[in-house]
Each structure stands twice: as C-alpha cells, then as structure tokens.
Amino acid sequence: MIKANDPNRRSWINVESGSDFPIQNIPFGVFIPEDDIITIGTRIGDTAVDLSAMQQLGYFDEINLDEDVFLQDTLNDFIALGREINRDVRDRIAEVFDADNAELRDNDEHKAKILFPVNEVQMLMPVFCQDYTDFYSSREHATNVGTMFRDPNNALLPNWLHLPVGYHGRSSTIVISGEPVHRPKGQRMPPNADKPVFGPSVRVDFELEMAFITGEGKPMGQSISTAEAEEYIFGMVLFNDWSARDLQKWEYVPLGPFLAKNFGSSISPWVVTMDALEPYRVAGPVQEPEVLDYLKFEGDKNYDINLEVGIAPEGSTETTVCKSNFKHMYWNMVQQLTHHTVNGCKVNAGDMMASGTISGPTPDSYGSMLELSWNATKSMKMADGSERTFIEDNDTVIMRGYCDNGKVRIGFGEVSSKLLPAID
Amino acid sequence: MIKANDPNRRSWINVESGSDFPIQNIPFGVFIPEDDIITIGTRIGDTAVDLSAMQQLGYFDEINLDEDVFLQDTLNDFIALGREINRDVRDRIAEVFDADNAELRDNDEHKAKILFPVNEVQMLMPVFCQDYTDFYSSREHATNVGTMFRDPNNALLPNWLHLPVGYHGRSSTIVISGEPVHRPKGQRMPPNADKPVFGPSVRVDFELEMAFITGEGKPMGQSISTAEAEEYIFGMVLFNDWSARDLQKWEYVPLGPFLAKNFGSSISPWVVTMDALEPYRVAGPVQEPEVLDYLKFEGDKNYDINLEVGIAPEGSTETTVCKSNFKHMYWNMVQQLTHHTVNGCKVNAGDMMASGTISGPTPDSYGSMLELSWNATKSMKMADGSERTFIEDNDTVIMRGYCDNGKVRIGFGEVSSKLLPAID
C-alpha cells in the first residue's frame, strides 16, 4: 500500500466528516495567500498548506529536491520530477500531518507560516497546459449523440470501438473554477434556412468530463505502451468542457469542433493524484470487438468516481441535473495515452487529456444538456420553477466528484463557473 | 512607406544577388552562435546578427526597451511588445546596416561581437507556441480533396464558403527546419478489410502551408475585428504540415484529424514580418456568396508569395514537385484571426495559425502528394529515376517561399526536413 493511503491515519488538522480532503487525499494545487506570494500547496480539510514554506522550514530535507521546487506558479516542474518523487513528497506530507507526529503540530510559529484557511487563499491554475486533448470515450455519450444526429441503428461510427477517438482542443481558454465564461458568438445554420446567421449561441451546454494531467513524456518519435502509461499520469481534475451546440453542428464537418469548444473550459483547482485514487480502481466495460495488441492492458484501469452536475440560476438555489460515474468510460486513460503517443507524439508535463462527456446508462446520468434535454425535446425543472433545455445567461454550473469505498472518501471539490452574457 | 522597406537601401553587409535576405527583409529568429548563448537575431544576406549584443553595445538606446528583450530563447516577449515597437526595432536595424551608416560598419570590435556567418550559428524554434491552429483555406485544395473522397459535384461542404474552416493542432511536435520527423505508426483500415490493422503509415505526405504568428490578443471573451486583426499578426513562416493519409482516413470522422497530423510539423526558422511583406499585398479571390458582416474587410489582404516544394531522396538531388502561390488562398489571415476570436477565444503572442494546404489552380501547383498523385493513381518522377506517390523513408522534403516585385526579393529561406523510418 502507498504509505499516504493508510485508511487508518488521522490528521491533527481538523477534517469535517464527509470532507473531500481527508489526510488520505493530499492533492496538489497552486495558490496565493493574502499579501503573500504564489506557492504550490496541498489541502487537508479546510486548511491550505504552503509547501514552499514547509520546505524552507526543513520539512522535506530528507527528500532530494531543488530548493525552489514548490516556489513555482505551476505544478509543471514538480510533475516533471516523476511519480516516484511525487509519491515521496505526498508520503512525507502524510507523515508530517499524522495526528501522532508532533514536529509541526506543536510548533505554532511554523504553523503560522504554513497553514491558511482555504477560504483565505486564492486558487490559481494548477498547471501550465501547452496542449489539451479531448477524448470521446463514453460509449453511452457517443451512442446518444449518434442516435440523435445520425442513425439509432448505427449510432457508433465504424472506428469508435477500435480506437479512443480524440481531437485537439485549445489550452489558452482553460480556466479555473470560479472564473466566469462568456457566451460565445458565432455562425449557426437555423433549421430550414438557406444561409447561416451570426449572433450569440442559443445552445450553450456543459459537458461533464474529467481530465488527467500528464508527466513528462518520452522524446518525440517514441511511444508510451499501456504497461508504461501509468508512470506518465500525475493526477486528475474535474473538467467542464463548455460547448455551443448550434455552432458545433454547423462548423464541425469535416475537421471537428472548433469555435463551439474553444471559448472556454473550466477545471477544479486541486489535482488529485493517481496514487490517492489507487484504492478506487475497478474493471472497465468489456471491450468487444477485441482491441488491437497495442491497446491491450492488464489489470483494472477504470476508477469508481461518483460525479454530479448542478445548475444554479442567478439568485436561486442549485438543482442537481445529472449523477454519473467515471467508471462507465469505455476507453481508459492508459489506452488514451498509449494511443495518443503510438505515432510518436510528444507529451509534456502539465498537458491535459480530457475524457469526453461522461454519460452513464440511465437518462439521469447523461453528462450534457444535449442528452438530458434530448436535443431540446424536453426540459429540466429548476428549484426556482424555471426550466432549462440549455444553459441560460448567469446560470452557474457546478460539477463535483468523489470516491467512497466505505472507509475513506477522496474528493475533487468542485468546478463551478458562471455563464455570462456574450460581450457586444 | 515603412522606413525599413525602402527599396533603394543597400547594406554594407554583402548580400548575394537573389538572396532571400536583403536589407529590406530583416526577419526575426532565435539562434545560438558557437560557444555562446542563445539570442534573438536577424539575418542580412548570409550574416546572422546578434540583436542582444547590438543592444548591449548601445545600438537600440533610442528605443525604450527592457535590457533583456533580445536575451531570450523565444520571440514571444518581443512580439508581445506590439507591432509599433517591433517596427521601431526593424527600422533601426535597417538604419544601422545602411551602406552609408558608419556607426557599426567601421567598428571592427563591435562587429566581432554582433556578426556571425549564418552557417556557424544554430537556429532554434523562433517562438514558444502554446496553441496551434490549422485552417483549410485553399478552395482548390478543399475541392480536390472533396472530389477524391466524396462527390465531384459537391466537393465543397456546405459551410466551406461561409467560414474559414479550421481545427486545433498539437504544438508540442512543431519542430524547426533540419529536425527529422519519424514516420508515424497507427491504425488504418485497408480497402475491403473488415477490421483495422496497426503499423507504420504507408501514406505519409507533406502539406505545403504557411503559418502566421500572432501577437498578444485581447482578454478572453473579447473579439478581434477584421479592422483590428493586422495589429495582432507579427509575421509568417513556411510550414510543412506532415500528414499520414491512411491514419487520417480511418480516424477523422467525426472529430477531425488527430494522430494523422500530430506526429510532426516543420517550420522555417526566420519569421518574416508583415511589415516586410507590405509591398506584396494583392487582392484575393472574389468571395461569393457574400460573407457575413463580421468577416467583411477593406483593402488587399492576400500576399503574392511564390512557393515551391522539392523532394530529395537519400543521396540524390532534389526534384521540384510543386510550384504554388500564397495569393490563391480563399480565406485571408485577417478573416481567419477574426473568425478564430469571434467567440471570445484568447490568442497569445507566439501562437501559430497555419493556412492549410496551399494548392493553386493547375495540377503542378497542388500542395500535397495526395493531390499531386491524385490519391496514388499516378506518380511523380524523381531525378534519380525513382517514383513517388507518397513520401518514402529518408526522403527530405524542402519548401521555399519568396516575394519578388521586380525591385526587391523578400524570401523565407526554407523548411527542410527528413522523414526517418518509424521507431520500432
């Protein structure tokens, strides 16, 4: 067992029951405390932990680290150290915050420099993402979309069961939870029209996704095998891949989604490590037909992560519109990364690879309004009595995710972002 | 007239007749002289000019610049200063190297620190490109592809004449001229097969493209109009968008090209500024049907840039296989950038936006082997007697580009890259 995952460990930092951030989580993020400088940190309960301060005060002396490894404005360099060093750091954090360890617990001077109430720090983008890839790996989602827009009897395209379909997204507009996103303008072709019109999208949607963040890959030209892939995956975040369905429908043939997607994507701020998710491995769906040899793998590569999406209209309470689970994914992250690099494509530390919309088998588990409203043929009722087929201006969309095996709950917190009106 | 563009200026640096780099060009690039440090530089004739050394020696004192503006390993920060400052620097370089200016010409000590034979410096990637977009803006290319793979009578898809179709590429595998690229492995579906096979691509192609490099865009959510777009375009490079046609055909529906493209793209090292290209503006093709208002523009937005592609088999001389011209592009760069940002998409300094394959109207002007060999139904004869339908292992593909209005020739040099065999 990974040392930091010990389910029996308790911390001397208070952790409320049901918290996403017990001592067994120890995610990594980047934050700035009030009147202080940017640092890499972790979170236990509702306490943000300044790892650069910890290092300066000697708490990581037993690990061979550069002295400024945590004094960074992104996790990229830390991630690039590799999973072994990342694990050593996480294990050491678990040790320092163990209820029985007095080193820091009883040092008020140090605690004042290291610990901050999480609501008094500003979370920043955890990584600099040069390249962002979006997969399309939920069979249920691909089947729903194919059924609505093509042919219910041939909903999956011929390649879908043979390879994890994916495409490149735009990294410049990936923002952190809390940052609003503006409704995009663009071209759409109204039904029965003979020419397109221009204006704000009238079908803005969320997509419930998760993204994994890669380590430093092999040199360009080389491939990462399924046996090696886990060494190149650092951790995961919640990912809302904002989408404009009307722009998408008009623009996406033949080269794929473009303006319909690149106006914004929102992520949760704490990167939960693959180490922390280890206890929640599960088998994925059976893959039939059999995949090509390079996509075969051994062991359980899916993860049991409960997911939910809420919509909060302006000035109103939130209504849950979707409950899904990451375990439904047909193609797993190991296969995605292997496929992505089988042609020699270079992967850098901090790159993001998102899952695609995570829809489950039941209508209440569909991960987008497109599916929940079945292409606007039905609406979702909000707590304030209003109805939604797509997202309205000033709605806030909130996604949450957590694992719970009855012993320990490991969560991702949330990604929450408000859709502002289009800018004139 | 932009000061540096004076066609009558001569330099005290020798410039061979027919050079791509007369005193009127003054492109920007990044290089490292032997036993020295990385610097931003320019090129006149066959002489590389170290701009950080020039600045340290006081030659830019009249311009308000940070002292390390040229002591960078990319052009990004310099580009982000904006076109006015970029122009001041280029104008000042023209002045310093003017045949009649003795400041540097007669200072041998300074010259020893500033000037290097271009073949004694190593060129590096000129920018750090976070996001790379590839358009599909040659009507001839889109028509050829549509004719081969879909329907000659409806070769263009319905959206093509209404918007500049584009998609996101991967920036991590954009490399500089001289760097080899490995043949990619991947899945393809052989004709009449019932399942895909895996192995090295058997249809590796070049795509003759040019890319423009953007300045620092507006904040996310805001749009750049056609009237504003030129202020956000720094310059251009030659761009070979390596493509694997067999992988592409199997993977690209519905989300676009992915592994077929992201194994490598090659660029020329010197960024020719839009200022230098000013004398070569021409009108583009008439756009019919009329475009939507946001895509309308005033003035000439195309450029008359002669382009050619050669293939040099291992150990053999080069054979020219294509002569085209950038002026054929249906959608211009101003429209591309405006469309890209109309939804609020953020553009950063150093981003690349490639044109898509630049095919002309005649068969010898097609910008890819796919078109030149008309989907492998005919072959191109090489100087050594061998034939090509696609690119073979160890072939070198060379692209060149230049403008010539009878008074001044401004060129891009070349992008040359060798296709190595797939790595086992």
Side-chain angles (χ1 to χ4, degrees), chain A residues 129-131 159 162 168 170-172 185 187 220 250 253 255 259 262-263 294 339 343 345-346 351, chain B residues 129-131 159 162 168 170-172 185 187 220 250 253 256 259 262-263 294 339 343 345-346 351:
Chain A
C129 172
Q130 180 180 3
D131 280 300
N159 56 17
H162 294 284
H168 301 118
R170 187 159 177 104
S171 60
S172 70
K185 294 180 289 188
Q187 289 191 28
M220 183 171 153
W250 173 234
V253 177
L255 300 183
L259 299 194
N262 67 19
F263 62 98
Y294 81 97
H339 182 65
N343 68 342
C345 181
K346 174 82 172 77
D351 288 348
Chain B
C129 172
Q130 179 180 3
D131 280 299
N159 56 16
H162 294 284
H168 301 117
R170 188 161 177 103
S171 61
S172 69
K185 294 179 291 189
Q187 289 191 28
M220 183 171 154
W250 172 233
V253 178
L259 299 193
N262 68 17
F263 63 97
Y294 81 97
H339 182 66
N343 68 342
C345 181
K346 174 82 173 76
D351 288 347

Side-chain angles (χ1 to χ4, degrees), chain B residues 116-400:
Chain B
F116 302 89
V118 78
N119 58 12
E120 290 178 16
V121 305
Q122 184 191 349
M123 297 305 299
L124 303 173
M125 276 289 289
V127 293
F128 173 79
C129 172
Q130 179 180 3
D131 280 299
Y132 150 53
T133 295
D134 195 21
F135 285 96
Y136 186 58
S137 289
S138 154
R139 182 172 188 158
E140 290 79 3
H141 173 67
T143 302
N144 287 340
V145 172
T147 299
M148 274 186 267
F149 292 119
R150 286 184 298 268
D151 173 6
N153 297 314
N154 291 287
L156 290 184
L157 287 163
N159 56 16
W160 202 93
L161 293 170
H162 294 284
L163 57 84
V165 172
Y167 68 104
H168 301 117
R170 188 161 177 103
S171 61
S172 69
T173 48
I174 301 176
V175 296
I176 198 165
S177 179
E179 288 280 325
V181 168
H182 284 274
R183 179 180 295 272
K185 294 179 291 189
Q187 289 191 28
R188 62 181 191 277
M189 179 64 94
N192 307 315
D194 62 354
K195 57 184 182 188
V197 298
F198 175 79
S201 166
V202 297
R203 289 193 159 195
V204 175
D205 202 353
F206 64 79
E207 287 192 333
L208 169 63
E209 304 195 18
M210 299 195 72
F212 67 88
I213 291 170
T214 59
E216 185 64 24
K218 295 186 180 179
M220 183 171 154
Q222 296 181 33
S223 307
I224 295 171
S225 70
T226 56
E228 298 167 324
E230 291 189 345
E231 284 306 302
Y232 296 92
I233 303 178
F234 173 75
M236 297 178 73
V237 293
L238 300 167
F239 196 96
N240 178 0
D241 188 21
W242 290 98
S243 300
R245 301 299 180 191
D246 42 359
L247 312 191
Q248 184 173 353
K249 193 174 175 191
W250 172 233
E251 76 175 358
Y252 91 105
V253 178
L255 299 183
F258 184 52
L259 299 193
K261 298 283 190 173
N262 68 17
F263 63 97
S265 302
S266 304
I267 67 167
S268 56
W270 294 104
V271 185
V272 177
T273 65
M274 297 319 295
D275 275 4
L277 296 171
E278 192 66 30
Y280 309 96
R281 282 181 187 267
V282 290
V286 173
Q287 296 184 325
E288 173 56 41
E290 190 177 39
V291 298
L292 283 163
D293 284 348
Y294 81 97
L295 290 170
K296 290 178 180 162
F297 61 92
E298 291 184 4
D300 291 341
K301 302 298 180 190
N302 277 38
Y303 293 85
D304 182 0
I305 306 172
N306 301 287
L307 298 166
E308 60 176 55
V309 184
I311 299 175
E314 180 84 334
S316 170
T317 55
E318 179 187 339
T319 301
T320 300
V321 294
C322 160
K323 291 194 177 201
S324 186
N325 194 303
F326 188 69
K327 73 183 176 189
H328 299 307
M329 300 309 291
Y330 188 84
W331 295 101
N332 60 54
M333 295 180 280
V334 160
Q335 292 177 310
Q336 289 168 341
L337 183 57
T338 295
H339 182 66
H340 204 317
T341 63
V342 77
N343 68 342
C345 181
K346 174 82 173 76
V347 167
N348 291 298
D351 288 347
M352 286 191 208
M353 298 192 183
S355 53
T357 305
I358 305 164
S359 293
T362 57
D364 63 347
S365 66
Y366 295 166
S368 65
M369 292 301 283
L370 176 70
E371 294 162 271
L372 290 164
S373 75
W374 206 254
N375 198 22
T377 58
K378 55 185 180 181
S379 62
M380 306 293 290
K381 187 125 183 172
M382 298 290 104
D384 67 1
S386 64
E387 300 198 337
R388 292 289 180 281
T389 50
F390 287 97
I391 304 301
E392 304 287 337
D393 284 348
N394 300 308
D395 282 356
T396 298
V397 174
I398 306 106
M399 297 176 178
R400 299 186 183 84

Side-chain angles (χ1 to χ4, degrees), chain A residues 357-374:
Chain A
T357 304
I358 305 163
S359 293
T362 57
D364 63 347
S365 66
Y366 295 166
S368 66
M369 292 300 284
L370 177 69
E371 294 163 272
L372 290 165
S373 74
W374 206 253

